[in-house]
């Protein structure tokens, strides 16, 4: 079977800094995540200096890359006055606290911004375990007994597979946010609120679905939309979650409708991965149709099985064998929960997790 062509979002980060529109530059930061090769970091210039949007993964290497990219267009990092985070995934928030430490920049998010572990209890760990310069990845007992949101998914079965060193770092970051450069927003915006960037007003557009705190920014002057991961050019963002009481897929559909209504007013969409594109309404519709097709696949699978089935079994109908895992299960779960809320499916709660079956 021939390899599929590489999607835009998978392309490795380039080193060029390009002008997209008046006062708006794009630089790319390297990342190594499934299905992704870079994060677009947008630079918004004004009389105060610059704001940057989505400063990549955590770590000094990211900060160094940002410094180098900005220096290539004669912008010292000291001129960064604001960091905007579109949502609470590490390839978007990771560099924010590092930049703030260097510059004192404000950190702007939607009001609902929360990190995954903000809902978990801090680990049982002594500050001396990490304050002596020891690499926290070597501190084997940091939070080892603390259950995290990804450990026991509500649908049952195997939890998120997170490498040990990364699990230790995340647990320690819960307890020592300053030591681990965990971002804390200094400005939280609400839907429709204006924020002054690049010498003009940008309006917050709350777009929950991919995450509950996802934020887009709309610039009516230059007709731009900073879309984060909400609308991407050639892939669809992951829809999932660990909350069995919500309906992130419905939220995502409503958020797609919301930005599609802006379509006539937007000439260029600036995504967090991939290249800028036009036809916002058309792309939003295509993404929604993709998920509607997935819902139909689940209906057909349930009819074929004609018995209750676990998330993992139904996930095999939506995703290829090589894509199976926690993310596939999470997205399948989101679609099944949506079908339960529309009355088409029923969820049965067992001691070992959930089973789903066609209603009636």
């Amino acid at each position: 079977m021939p390899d599929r062509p590489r999607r835009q979002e998978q392309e490795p980060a380039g080193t060029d800094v390009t002008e997209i529109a008046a006062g708006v530059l794009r630089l790319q930061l390297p990342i190594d995540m499934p299905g992704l090769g870079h994060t677009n970091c947008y630079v918004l210039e004004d009389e105060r200096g610059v704001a940057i949007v989505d400063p990549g993964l955590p770590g000094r290497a990211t900060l160094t890359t940002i410094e180098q990219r900005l220096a290539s267009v004669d912008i010292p990092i000291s001129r960064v006055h604001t960091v905007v985070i579109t949502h609470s995934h590490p390839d978007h928030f990771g560099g924010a606290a590092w930049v703030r430490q260097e510059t004192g920049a404000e950190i702007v998010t939607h009001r609902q911004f929360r990190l995954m572990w903000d809902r978990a209890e801090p680990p049982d760990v002594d500050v001396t375990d990490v304050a002596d310069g020891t690499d926290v990845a070597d501190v084997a007992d940091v939070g080892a007994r603390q259950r995290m949101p990804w450990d026991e998914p509500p649908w049952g079965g195997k939890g998120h597979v997170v490498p040990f060193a990364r699990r230790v770092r995340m647990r320690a970051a819960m307890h020592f946010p300053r030591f681990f450069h965990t971002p804390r927003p200094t400005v939280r915006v609400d839907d429709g609120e204006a924020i002054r960037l690049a010498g003009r007003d940008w309006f917050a557009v709350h777009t929950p679905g991919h995450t509950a705190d996802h934020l887009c920014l709309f610039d009516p002057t230059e007709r731009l939309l900073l879309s984060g991961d909400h609308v991407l050019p050639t892939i669809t963002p992951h829809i999932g979650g660990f909350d069995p009481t919500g309906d992130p897929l419905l939220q995502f559909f409503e958020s797609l409708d919301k930005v599609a209504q802006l379509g006539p007013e937007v000439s260029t969409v600036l995504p967090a991965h991939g290249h800028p594109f036009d036809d916002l309404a058309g792309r939003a519709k295509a993404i929604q149709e993709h998920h509607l097709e997935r819902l139909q696949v689940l209906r057909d699978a349930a009819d074929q099985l004609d018995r209750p089935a676990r998330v993992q079994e139904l996930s095999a109908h939506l995703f290829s064998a090589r894509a199976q895992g926690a993310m596939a299960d999470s997205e399948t779960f989101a679609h099944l929960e949506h079908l339960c809320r529309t009355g088409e499916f029923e969820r049965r709660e067992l001691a070992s997790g959930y089973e789903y079956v066609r209603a009636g």
Side-chain angles (χ1 to χ4, degrees):
M1 181 180 295
D3 292 337
R4 293 184 303 175
R6 177 187 283 170
R7 302 296 186 95
Q8 289 183 20
E9 295 83 354
Q10 296 173 319
E11 295 172 1
T15 59
D16 294 340
V17 179
T18 57
E19 184 175 12
I20 302 297
V24 180
L25 307 174
R26 179 179 71 147
L27 59 86
Q28 293 186 309
L29 302 173
I31 61 174
D32 183 15
M33 299 180 70
L36 298 172
H38 65 272
T39 296
N40 291 323
C41 178
Y42 295 97
V43 181
L44 312 181
E45 298 183 276
D46 57 29
E47 70 285 352
R48 295 185 294 150
V50 299
I52 61 174
V53 181
D54 285 345
L57 288 168
R60 185 165 298 281
T62 295
L63 178 64
T64 298
T65 301
I66 292 172
E67 289 178 317
Q68 292 171 345
R69 300 282 198 270
L70 290 176
S72 72
V73 288
D74 298 322
I75 300 174
I77 196 166
S78 61
R79 286 185 56 75
V80 177
H81 58 69
T82 302
V83 180
V84 178
I85 302 172
T86 60
H87 63 289
S88 53
H89 283 165
D91 52 322
H92 300 264
F93 72 69
W98 290 86
V99 174
R100 177 171 169 78
Q101 179 175 275
E102 292 290 314
T103 68
E106 301 286 356
I107 297 179
V108 178
T109 68
H110 185 263
R111 187 166 300 282
Q112 292 188 21
F113 180 84
R114 298 289 186 277
L115 299 178
M116 179 182 288
W117 53 81
D118 282 345
R119 298 185 181 89
E121 293 296 325
D124 181 15
V125 59
D126 192 284
V127 68
T128 58
D129 290 336
V130 293
D132 61 359
T134 302
D135 186 341
V136 72
D138 295 328
V139 184
D141 62 345
V142 175
R145 297 177 300 279
Q146 180 64 40
R147 305 306 294 173
M148 298 292 284
W150 55 81
D151 287 323
E152 296 177 348
W155 56 86
K158 192 174 182 180
H160 249 314
V161 179
V162 179
F164 176 75
R166 189 179 302 171
R167 292 166 67 90
V168 172
R169 287 182 183 277
M170 287 190 287
R171 285 179 167 89
M174 290 167 53
H175 204 55
F176 308 112
R178 291 185 181 178
F179 188 85
F180 288 91
H181 297 83
T182 303
R184 288 292 180 258
T186 61
V187 178
R188 294 178 182 266
V189 298
D190 292 308
D191 186 59
E193 188 172 343
I195 179 171
R196 194 78 175 172
L197 302 168
R200 52 190 183 267
D201 285 341
W202 298 66
F203 292 88
V205 185
H206 183 212
T207 49
H210 178 56
T211 62
D213 56 13
H214 198 283
L215 173 68
C216 297
L217 288 176
F218 171 52
D219 167 20
T221 302
E222 294 294 324
R223 302 179 63 202
L224 305 174
L225 181 74
L226 285 159
S227 68
D229 279 359
H230 181 53
V231 183
L232 296 170
T234 65
I235 65 174
T236 59
H238 173 70
I239 307 300
F242 294 92
D243 182 1
T245 64
D247 189 348
L249 185 61
L250 176 60
Q251 290 183 322
F252 186 55
F253 284 166
E254 292 173 343
S255 296
L256 287 172
D257 290 340
K258 186 176 186 177
V259 297
Q261 292 175 2
L262 292 173
E265 302 175 60
V266 173
S267 61
T268 307
V269 181
L270 306 180
H273 311 282
H275 305 306
F277 62 94
D278 56 15
D279 192 13
L280 172 60
R283 183 59 187 149
K285 180 180 179 181
I287 294 172
Q288 192 170 72
E289 287 175 348
H290 166 81
H291 287 284
L292 291 172
E293 290 170 1
R294 286 181 174 270
L295 292 173
Q296 187 58 48
V297 169
L298 289 173
R299 295 185 189 101
D300 294 342
D303 289 341
Q304 180 182 351
L305 292 170
D306 196 27
R307 59 171 172 77
R310 301 291 293 270
V311 166
Q312 291 86 345
E313 182 176 7
L314 291 165
S315 179
H317 293 264
L318 289 185
F319 296 93
S320 67
R322 68 178 181 179
Q324 292 302 308
M327 289 189 67
D329 292 347
S330 179
E331 184 150 319
T332 302
F333 172 66
H335 286 70
L336 289 167
E337 287 295 297
H338 177 74
L339 288 168
C340 288
R341 283 161 178 73
T342 62
E344 298 180 69
F345 276 51
E346 294 177 357
R347 184 181 77 192
R348 298 180 180 179
E349 300 187 18
L350 310 176
S352 58
Y354 297 157
E355 289 184 342
Y356 294 86
V357 66
R358 276 281 218 170

